[in-house]
Amino acid sequence: MASTTDPATGDLPEDLEGAILDLKRERNAIILAHYYQDDDLQDVADVVGDSLALAQAAQRADCDVIAFCGVHFMAETAKILNPDKPVVVPDMEAGCSLADGCPAEEFQAFVDQYPGAKVLTYINASAEVKAMSDLICTSSNAVKMVEALKGEKIVFAPDRHLARWVMQETGRDDLAVWQGACLVHELFSAKGLARLRVQHPEAEVLAHPECDQAVLDQADFIASTTGIIRRAVETPDRPSIIATEDGVFHSILQQVPGKVLHQAPGMDESCSCNQCPFMRLNTMEKLYTALRDLRPQVEVKEDIRVKALVPIERMLALSARTRKRS
Ligand code: 13P
Ligand code: SF4
């Protein structure tokens, strides 16, 4: 096979996609990719999804190896669910501002201020923080998970914007909230969005609950990544202005080619390319070498894994019940 040489990764085949698919077959691997990945990584994946869909795919994975194209906490969740399978990632440095902004020791001190409270943690957190939690949620099921804890005092971490939105949706105003934020979702410009709405008055504005209130105040539809994609696909003839990571556009345009999409601008108004710098560390080259060398691999200490598994499985069971009903 023809190859080129990369100083960081060694010999690389020219047909990277073909080589990845060959390795996938040889290894009996499954490739999971988040919607915030580069288009070529999404195209080579077996499952493309949001955090919940990828956790569900990891739970039912029937394979020998999981290659996870996303960020560290997602791959860690896959490892917690699959302790006997190697979980490889293209880039071990692909972290998350939310997970990194909630260190386990400080979080324990926060939780200790609310004795008897149930700890509901957004999946964007480390395995150690998950291990301290009673229940996990994603943005697709956060409202359901708060409702599942009816009558309980709740500590919610680590996204303060998601917490505020969930409180509005559930009518609860008593959650004790860890004050973290995502550097992608929080940094959309409310002023820039207002300007874009004036330019495109016919467009529907879609946004994530993890955005700032000044952005949500202008949104016609607020939902998780999957919800945003579904809404955009269901309204093919109406332009959408979307406050999201722009990897999401790939999936929408695959389903409704020609749909008019406008990216909500970030705070730096000279650029409308809202990309998660952690997600975008992953590349086809790094995925190829991860599958070839079976490294880097995500590891979780067994005592932490066993504790973190409980609230993750609780969430997956509650989400499955919700799906069957709807
Ligand atoms: P979802 O995948 O749950 O939509 O969350 C978006 C995100 O930022 C993942 O890190
Ligand atoms: Fe974390 Fe935000 Fe990147 Fe998602 S988009 S991985 S929440 S920094």
Side-chain angles (χ1 to χ4, degrees):
M1 191 185 298
S3 69
T4 54
T5 301
D6 180 282
T9 47
D11 279 345
L12 293 174
E14 261 166 31
D15 176 13
L16 263 178
E17 183 180 338
I20 288 169
L21 293 175
D22 287 346
L23 274 174
K24 190 176 77 111
R25 268 187 300 274
E26 280 166 33
R27 298 279 190 205
N28 188 26
I30 186 170
I31 301 175
L32 307 181
H34 193 269
Y35 288 119
Y36 293 180
Q37 293 295 280
D38 290 348
D39 297 358
D40 49 7
L41 286 170
Q42 293 190 41
D43 291 344
V44 87
D46 297 288
V47 179
V48 183
D50 66 1
S51 314
L52 177 62
L54 294 175
Q56 288 166 332
Q59 188 185 37
R60 56 172 190 264
D62 180 17
C63 59
D64 295 328
V65 173
I66 296 176
F68 207 114
C69 303
V71 289
H72 189 262
F73 75 82
M74 296 177 178
E76 219 173 34
T77 304
K79 183 68 185 177
I80 291 165
L81 289 161
N82 294 276
D84 300 329
K85 294 187 196 355
V87 176
V88 297
V89 291
D91 194 317
M92 202 55 124
E93 298 303 312
C96 167
S97 64
L98 269 172
D100 296 347
C102 187
E105 264 180 40
E106 287 169 41
F107 185 57
Q108 185 62 63
F110 182 72
V111 170
D112 289 346
Q113 294 171 39
Y114 305 95
K118 296 291 179 195
V119 178
L120 174 58
T121 303
Y122 185 33
I123 199 165
N124 300 37
S126 67
E128 287 79 5
V129 167
K130 288 190 177 87
M132 294 174 202
S133 307
D134 295 289
L135 187 58
I136 303 300
C137 69
T138 74
S139 51
S140 346
N141 61 23
V143 168
K144 296 268 175 210
M145 297 303 133
V146 168
E147 284 167 352
L149 295 174
K150 197 168 177 216
E152 305 279 2
K153 174 74 188 164
I154 298 175
V155 169
F156 188 96
D159 190 310
R160 65 171 182 264
H161 298 296
L162 180 61
R164 188 194 57 243
W165 178 76
V166 165
M167 286 197 275
Q168 288 163 5
E169 292 294 300
T170 57
R172 286 195 65 160
D173 58 3
D174 61 340
L175 272 54
V177 178
W178 179 271
Q179 295 295 313
C182 156
L183 55 71
V184 176
H185 299 115
E186 187 179 47
L187 289 183
F188 290 104
S189 159
K191 247 198 227 167
L193 176 57
R195 225 171 283 139
L196 200 59
R197 286 172 58 229
V198 170
Q199 287 163 14
H200 305 284
E202 74 292 2
E204 184 172 44
V205 179
L206 318 180
H208 287 273
E210 297 95 322
C211 293
D212 191 80
Q213 188 63 48
V215 167
L216 295 190
D217 285 343
Q218 302 181 56
D220 301 300
F221 186 83
I222 300 169
S224 65
T225 307
T226 301
I228 284 177
I229 292 172
R230 198 177 298 137
R231 179 68 172 195
V233 168
E234 282 169 2
T235 52
D237 301 325
R238 186 172 179 193
S240 305
I241 297 173
I242 315 186
T244 191
E245 215 275 3
D246 63 14
V248 168
F249 285 43
H250 183 57
S251 173
I252 297 172
L253 291 173
Q254 276 178 327
Q255 295 176 70
V256 274
K259 161 102 185 177
V260 178
L261 297 172
H262 304 284
Q263 170 74 63
M267 292 288 183
D268 174 0
E269 294 190 19
S270 61
C271 170
S272 62
C273 45
N274 295 289
Q275 297 192 336
C276 172
F278 304 108
M279 292 273 188
R280 302 306 178 124
L281 287 175
N282 296 328
T283 62
M284 290 285 275
E285 288 79 3
K286 293 178 196 172
L287 173 59
Y288 168 75
T289 54
L291 277 168
R292 184 191 65 192
D293 305 339
L294 286 189
R295 69 187 164 84
Q297 283 189 31
V298 171
E299 300 293 350
V300 182
K301 285 194 194 126
E302 186 58 10
D303 58 332
I304 298 288
R305 188 194 74 78
V306 170
K307 285 187 196 150
L309 181 62
V310 175
I312 293 171
E313 285 192 326
R314 223 171 253 155
M315 171 193 76
L316 290 170
L318 284 166
S319 298
R321 253 181 261 158
T322 307
R323 256 208 334 258
K324 274 181 204 146
R325 271 207 302 269
S326 59

